[in-house]
Amino acid sequence: MVLRLSTLFLRTLREDPADAEVASHRLLVRAGYIRRAAPGIYTWLPLGIKVLAKVEAIVREEMAAIGSQEVHFPALLPREPYEASNRWTEYGEGLFRLKDRKQNDYLLAPTHEEVFTLLVKDLYSSYKDLPLSLYQIQTKYRDEARPRAGLMRGREFIMKDAYSFDIDDAGLEESYQAHRGAYFRIFERLGLEVIAVQATAGAMGGSKSEEFLHPSPVGEDTFVRSAGGYAANVEAVSTVVPQDIDFSGFPSAEVRDTPNSPTIETLVAVANGLAPRDADRGEWTAADTLKNVVLAVQLPTGERELVIIGVPGDRTVDLKRLEATLPEHLEVSGEISVEAANDEDLRKHPLLVKGYIGPGLTLEDTLLGIGGRSRLRYLVDPRVVSGSQWITGANAAGQHVFGLVAGRDFGWDGVVESVEVRSGDQAPDGSGELEIARGVEMGHVFQLGRRYAEVLDLKVLDQNGKQVVVTMGSYGVGVTRAIAAIAEKNNDDRGLIWPLAVAPAEVHVVAVGKDEAVFEAAEKITADLEAAGAEVMFDDRLKVSPGVKFGDAELIGVPIIVAVGRGLAEGVVELKDRRSGEAQNVPVDEAVARILKLREQLS
């Protein structure tokens, strides 16, 4: 069916939308693919639906190729399954919750592990039914605090989520690898480079987890990679831990007056004036100080808890990284948020002297255990190893402790990965230095294991007639986010440039001018292309200037543009490859053959 611009529900915009932050957002709105309905929520217009259908078709083909079968769940779901898995609470404020007229609780599903599990439980009961892979392409909802970047991070989005069900861990590994391979093929067909990086499981739970990141300067995910092949999301990077140090001959720690030194920078300056080190060891630096950062954690239950993190003074706490790694230390599951403690938080703990906080002078006193007072949870960076010596706060204004030895003078409640990862840090697998990059998360795969099967009692009879808990995998692809990533990658200063595989049409025929012969010739080329199986968009609008038509053609981004205009008098039309920008005049009677040849080259 030819898309005729004279009747197509389309209005292009000359000006960028005021809230557009990135190119994909700006161009998808201007070119008439989507329209904003509310913050983080978009209406899909006819051109957008065309692209969306093509992306979904690629996903479906690759899922079918690994034997996964499609189902479709409601987006509106009851509370009970999520209460059973504890995710009604764990998701915190990110969950859209609502009540029906009878005051029953419902949610708009952010993900569907629970109901997939219950469906299989309802229908299958034997090992002979497994392995099984099911998937859906469904609208998801998450109450993002700051929706932004158009389709990149919204409150409503379309995702493909698949789930595998196996009798044992060996089967899970096989299913995991099958889905992983399908993802690489999906993104290759979409023209998106992706890197599979180690990741944390977060609220999903499970063991092994990988993200598929598309390298992009507008990406919200930070990841690292080494020349030796290591790749991980920063939340999943583990620090190369120094060796413990024998402290048997170390002198006792000493408290010194350090007036006007509440920051690391001022402390280092004071330390070098008070107690300069010998020439061989050089001056004191921020790396020699132990910074104790007081943080407030908002738990999934709504409670607020203070924790203190001890980190080398030359490092900064990465709150996003900490939010991924801290829950296990707090023995909570679900999403948490972390922020710097405020003045009200500190007033509740008078021993916390701002700018001079330290872990204490003895193991017994470690972090506010002094005088029988209740202690706060104290976690340290992996670089704080037994025998390491530090300059740190003495819990008194204008005083610091010099030579405080970890493991001798103070202890800790746990070791947590919390500081920013830097370019030049060593990869944990010994494969070299890390470099930092930005990426857009396009997919995420998890070995869920038995978490959901256990709480929802998904069991089958094994070969011996014994009931065993099924093991599961979860595999997600951001479908609407993929469209944004494709648009972000494929554009220029004039508009979008769609890859042929996902373009709303393959050829855009533009009739330029008022001459009836021009429109007749353009109509014939359009009909012949359609008869040959090409997808055609035809700008047959009357009384629209050539400049507007060409501007729209380049903005909309169909990969092949055919202009029928003044050249027709000489028997030629213009054929343009939107990607390369190359244009050539071709004889009108050869136009269809040349267009089809270019289409083949671009496919």
Side-chain angles (χ1 to χ4, degrees), residues 408-442:
R408 183 193 72 181
D409 303 323
F410 70 95
W412 45 89
D413 299 309
V415 177
V416 65
E417 297 282 3
S418 65
V419 302
E420 90 288 0
V421 180
R422 296 175 180 168
S423 292
D425 286 347
Q426 292 298 311
D429 65 352
S431 59
E433 293 186 349
L434 298 175
E435 64 174 32
I436 306 289
R438 303 288 294 176
V440 178
E441 183 184 348
M442 304 307 307

Side-chain angles (χ1 to χ4, degrees), residues 164-221:
S164 63
F165 302 84
D166 287 276
I167 192 72
D168 55 27
D169 291 342
L172 170 58
E173 178 64 26
E174 188 174 337
S175 294
Y176 183 90
Q177 294 302 329
H179 285 81
R180 190 176 187 273
Y183 278 23
F184 279 116
R185 291 188 293 273
I186 287 169
F187 296 124
E188 182 179 8
R189 291 179 63 182
L190 294 177
L192 291 173
E193 176 196 359
V194 292
I195 298 171
V197 305
Q198 295 178 28
T200 55
M204 294 285 287
S207 53
K208 187 175 181 180
S209 171
E210 291 176 284
E211 288 179 350
F212 288 76
L213 298 181
H214 169 58
S216 170
V218 304
E220 290 191 321
D221 281 65

Side-chain angles (χ1 to χ4, degrees), residues 53 79 121 158 176 192 211 244 297 323 388 398 409 427 460 470:
R79 171 178 178 165
K121 176 185 176 181
I158 297 173
Y176 183 90
L192 291 173
E211 288 179 350
D244 289 349
V297 183
E323 286 172 350
S388 57
D409 303 323
V460 296
V470 171

Side-chain angles (χ1 to χ4, degrees), residues 164 368 401 486 553:
S164 63
L368 306 185
V401 185
I486 295 167

Side-chain angles (χ1 to χ4, degrees), residues 100-119:
D100 67 8
R101 66 183 65 195
K102 297 180 180 179
Q103 297 303 301
N104 296 311
D105 286 316
Y106 287 82
L107 61 95
L108 293 176
T111 182
H112 281 75
E113 281 75 15
E114 287 83 354
V115 288
F116 267 92
T117 305
L118 290 173
L119 177 66

Side-chain angles (χ1 to χ4, degrees), residues 59-71:
V59 171
R60 285 188 170 98
E61 288 168 12
E62 294 301 335
M63 295 308 295
I66 62 169
S68 193
Q69 301 173 66
E70 185 171 7
V71 298

Side-chain angles (χ1 to χ4, degrees), residues 19-29 33-45 48-49 51-52 55 144 147-158 220 440-442 478-488 498:
D19 60 339
E21 302 170 316
V22 296
S24 58
H25 185 190
R26 183 176 72 248
L27 293 172
L28 287 169
V29 172
Y33 288 83
I34 60 173
R35 293 288 288 178
R36 180 182 182 272
I41 304 172
Y42 291 87
T43 301
W44 287 81
L45 304 181
I49 291 291
V51 176
L52 180 61
V55 173
E144 289 286 348
R148 52 203 177 277
L151 300 179
M152 289 285 189
R153 196 168 190 88
R155 287 179 167 148
E156 177 186 274
F157 54 95
I158 297 173
E220 290 191 321
V440 178
E441 183 184 348
M442 304 307 307
V479 175
T480 46
R481 183 177 287 184
I483 293 172
I486 295 167
E488 192 70 37
W498 292 108

Side-chain angles (χ1 to χ4, degrees), residues 311-381:
V311 303
D314 64 333
R315 296 276 177 165
T316 301
V317 172
D318 181 337
L319 294 182
K320 184 178 179 182
R321 190 171 185 227
L322 188 59
E323 286 172 350
T325 57
L326 191 56
E328 65 177 287
H329 296 279
L330 302 181
E331 297 178 350
V332 300
S333 56
E335 296 184 359
I336 63 170
S337 62
V338 182
E339 63 182 13
N342 57 37
D343 290 340
E344 183 180 346
D345 293 321
L346 296 178
R347 279 195 293 271
K348 295 176 182 177
H349 299 275
L351 288 180
L352 294 178
V353 181
K354 193 173 182 179
Y356 298 92
I357 298 170
L361 292 173
T362 70
L363 283 173
E364 292 75 19
D365 291 344
T366 296
L367 209 70
L368 306 185
I370 303 168
R373 300 209 183 214
S374 60
R375 298 174 62 251
L376 292 174
R377 192 185 307 262
Y378 186 50
L379 306 172
V380 297
D381 181 80

